[in-house]
Amino acid sequence: MDASVIAISNAGSSGAADIETVFVTQFQPLRRWLTGRTRDADAAKDIAQEAFARLVREIRAGRAPDDPAAWLHRVALNLATSRGRRLTVADRNADRLPLPQSVPGPEAWAVDDEVRGLLTGALAELPDADREAVVLAARGHRGPEIARHLGRSDGATRTLLCRARARLRVHLPSAPPSSG
């Protein structure tokens, strides 16, 4: 970001410093200071830019800080600290995230197509309300949502879903087709 992007003069606001001047004099020192803190030049640049964006909002709102350089350092430090906390939580929970699957080969695509065809045929054998309930459940809708959609009580919908799944199982083979 260069000075022309943030060159917003705030003349007339109760003694607030010209934002362009503050940017020109403070951006590089702030970015360098943040690089030392975060040990990541790109993150430091992003944090410095966010701190300046917040400074612009404060000045536009008529809350210009008395010492913009000190204010920028405090805001940037808070942003860097929050970033560090988020990264720590992300690292701590990284093992809970699913690993990306490898790209399936043509055999897997063929098996998926065959299973999809069998499922479509089995769903076509069900009564409309059963099919609609099973499809909504498969799409992640909860029982009460399905009940409202079908105009039934929660208990009646649970029973309908249980029976519809049992009917669906009758129309599907016991094991998915295997390739080969």
Side-chain angles (χ1 to χ4, degrees), residues 16-36:
D18 180 44
I19 296 171
E20 182 177 8
T21 304
V22 173
F23 181 82
V24 169
T25 61
Q26 296 299 317
F27 184 78
Q28 291 305 325
L30 181 64
R31 186 193 51 76
R32 283 192 298 271
W33 180 75
L34 284 166
T35 301

Side-chain angles (χ1 to χ4, degrees), residues 13-76:
S13 70
S14 62
D18 180 44
I19 296 171
E20 182 177 8
T21 304
V22 173
F23 181 82
V24 169
T25 61
Q26 296 299 317
F27 184 78
Q28 291 305 325
L30 181 64
R31 186 193 51 76
R32 283 192 298 271
W33 180 75
L34 284 166
T35 301
R37 286 259 193 220
T38 63
R39 296 185 181 6
D40 182 345
D42 291 333
K45 186 176 179 182
D46 289 345
I47 293 169
Q49 289 174 353
E50 176 62 23
F52 272 95
R54 290 183 182 198
L55 176 64
V56 169
R57 282 195 299 266
E58 287 299 306
I59 291 174
R60 284 183 177 168
R63 299 183 300 260
D66 293 333
D67 185 355
W71 187 93
L72 283 166
H73 275 76
R74 172 49 58 195
V75 169

Side-chain angles (χ1 to χ4, degrees), residues 169-177:
R169 281 188 208 100
V170 168
H171 295 291
L172 290 173
S174 58

